[in-house]
Amino acid sequence: MTEITHQQAEIILRETLAKGREMGLKPLSVVVLDAGGHPKAFLREDGASPGRFEIARGKAYGAVMLGMGGRAQMARAEAQAYFMAAVNGAYGGKVIPVPGGLLVKDGDTVIGAVGVTGDTSDNDAEAGIAGIEAAGLTPEP
């Protein structure tokens, strides 16, 4: 079974933050989860608010548990609010269905998820996409 490695997680963290600096974003926080939704790695930049871990994890958790990136989750929440409310209840309120939650794939296999927070959700997603691609993996925003 393919899984996200510690080395890949480190690359994702480093390159996501580098992309955020290149874009001039506010301080970011980034979490990498394995395919079971468990944290593999996390970084919070200096100046990022302390609650950002839970937001980053919520974005990534929704992606890996639902098998869809944050953009698709947000569209689903807008179209089927009751469904997403029920899902969030089933997962103990841990799902944050907005951009910045990204599935991580190796080929067609989901091996984890990344959650990025700190700037606008779309900017968070853009930075995360760069990090995932730098690790040689495929993002699904």
Side-chain angles (χ1 to χ4, degrees):
M1 179 162 129
T2 304
E3 64 181 62
I4 196 161
T5 67
H6 180 74
Q7 181 180 14
Q8 289 168 323
E10 285 184 336
I11 292 168
I12 292 167
L13 294 176
R14 182 180 63 243
E15 297 302 322
T16 297
L17 296 180
K19 182 66 172 181
R21 297 295 52 82
E22 175 189 310
M23 293 171 64
L25 304 184
K26 294 175 185 173
L28 298 178
S29 295
V30 185
V31 69
V32 178
L33 304 183
D34 65 18
H38 305 286
K40 188 81 173 185
F42 172 73
L43 276 177
R44 181 174 60 89
E45 285 188 300
D46 294 342
S49 62
R52 291 294 176 174
F53 172 77
E54 294 300 337
I55 297 169
R57 182 173 67 170
K59 288 181 174 188
Y61 192 79
V64 76
M65 289 296 132
L66 294 171
M68 65 178 79
R71 288 185 182 139
Q73 290 177 62
M74 188 168 78
R76 185 89 183 256
E78 290 169 346
Q80 296 179 310
Y82 290 114
F83 172 78
M84 286 305 291
V87 163
N88 214 358
Y91 289 125
K94 293 190 252 181
V95 174
I96 300 177
V98 297
L102 306 133
L103 278 178
V104 179
K105 293 184 172 184
D106 186 6
D108 291 332
T109 304
V110 174
I111 62 170
V114 171
V116 184
T117 184
D119 205 89
T120 67
S121 292
D122 288 331
N123 285 342
D124 294 343
E126 186 175 341
I129 289 167
I132 294 166
E133 289 175 344
L137 300 167
T138 304
E140 186 175 308

